[in-house]
Amino acid sequence: AQTVTQSQPEMSVQEAETVTLSCTYDTSESNYYLFWYKQPPSRQMILVIRQEAYKQQNATENRFSVNFQKAAKSFSLKISDSQLGDTAMYFCAFMKSQGAQKLVFGQGTRLTINP
Amino acid sequence: GAGVSQSPRYKVTKRGQDVALRCDPISGHVSLYWYRQALGQGPEFLTYFNYEAQQDKSGLPNDRFSAERPEGSISTLTIQRTEQRDSAMYRCASSLTISGNTIYFGEGSWLTVV
């Protein structure tokens, strides 16, 4: 079974700073997908970024980028030039590329951006 | 529709009552998923469908929980004889293709069992 671990329950940074959220996972699969989802106070669930395990290049979406280390089973999210609107719960998630299409989520990191 | 739509958004029910939660996926999306999220936790998989066929129901906690998607579009998650421990947010999600590697979530249905 796959597991996803987010070791930082809470983080807090000043606006405009860069922050990195950690995520590790455990799997015996060779092909899979990794995701970061954002859950703001409104409790929506918003896809931030997606990484395909067979791609060596790290995914980037504007101010959001990942550091994907397949051998270490690590998938961290970097938020550059953080904004007040980035305040949210962030969940890391794993999905196998074959078989049952279900996301396995970590416990989440509560990120607060301070003015 | 523009996004995944769920109803009701909020439901308070008495212990022992049955509850039905509805999900209307994004138009054209073939796969539909149900997740449950307790406060302070990440979502947990319940079940999913490709078209009208239920592919995996391994996450349903017990036989009080069931789901259907009879016409391959709208889905209903039913909880019979609700218990207080069923209180949570129930999230529906959909994806355009069966490979499902981009999944879009609805805003969820908050269920409180009193």
Side-chain angles (χ1 to χ4, degrees):
Chain A
Q2 288 74 34
T3 59
V4 177
T5 302
Q6 294 179 249
S7 59
Q8 304 151 313
E10 294 187 23
M11 295 188 72
S12 179
V13 299
Q14 296 300 119
E15 193 175 6
E17 289 183 348
T18 294
V19 59
T20 299
L21 308 183
S22 301
C23 173
T24 58
Y25 57 94
D26 188 25
T27 185
S28 58
E29 302 286 324
S30 57
N31 292 320
Y32 46 87
Y33 300 98
L34 294 164
F35 306 84
W36 279 98
Y37 279 88
K38 171 184 177 182
Q39 189 172 84
S42 65
R43 301 279 292 179
Q44 290 178 282
M45 199 75 169
I46 303 165
L47 177 63
V48 175
I49 201 164
R50 182 186 78 186
Q51 176 79 41
E52 297 167 55
Y54 67 86
K55 289 186 177 179
Q56 291 187 339
Q57 186 173 6
N58 289 323
T60 299
E61 289 287 342
N62 301 312
R63 298 183 295 108
F64 298 86
S65 62
V66 299
N67 183 3
F68 173 48
Q69 301 291 328
K70 191 173 184 180
K73 296 180 182 175
S74 171
F75 183 61
S76 61
L77 175 70
K78 185 172 82 170
I79 306 174
S80 303
D81 185 26
S82 57
Q83 301 175 359
L84 297 179
D86 296 333
T87 292
M89 195 78 165
Y90 286 82
F91 291 99
C92 179
F94 170 100
M95 177 191 284
K96 294 192 295 185
S97 62
Q98 299 290 334
Q101 300 302 310
K102 53 187 176 184
L103 289 162
V104 177
F105 285 87
Q107 293 290 84
T109 296
R110 184 174 303 281
L111 175 65
T112 302
I113 309 300
N114 299 305
Chain B
V4 178
S5 177
Q6 293 187 243
S7 61
R9 291 291 309 283
Y10 303 92
K11 177 71 176 179
V12 180
T13 191
K14 291 185 177 179
R15 189 174 50 188
Q17 297 292 309
D18 296 351
V19 167
L21 305 177
R22 173 189 164 113
C23 173
D24 193 352
I26 295 172
S27 180
H29 279 204
V30 303
S31 296
L32 182 147
Y33 313 81
W34 284 100
Y35 287 79
R36 180 169 72 173
Q37 186 176 14
L39 272 176
Q41 305 285 323
E44 292 182 324
F45 171 82
L46 294 177
T47 185
Y48 87 101
F49 296 81
N50 287 336
Y51 299 98
E52 73 282 355
Q54 192 169 22
Q55 299 296 313
D56 184 335
K57 56 181 181 179
S58 62
L60 295 176
N62 50 60
D63 60 7
R64 295 187 296 106
F65 287 73
S66 63
E68 62 174 11
R69 193 188 185 197
E71 298 180 359
S73 179
I74 292 169
S75 176
T76 303
L77 176 70
T78 301
I79 310 171
Q80 295 180 311
R81 305 181 302 282
T82 52
E83 301 178 5
Q84 285 188 323
R85 59 178 172 158
D86 299 333
S87 296
M89 174 173 275
Y90 290 83
R91 288 194 183 272
C92 179
S94 68
S95 62
L96 179 62
T97 63
I98 289 176
S99 64
N101 56 47
T102 301
I103 294 178
Y104 299 92
F105 283 84
E107 294 189 347
S109 291
W110 269 112
L111 174 65
T112 302
V113 182
V114 298

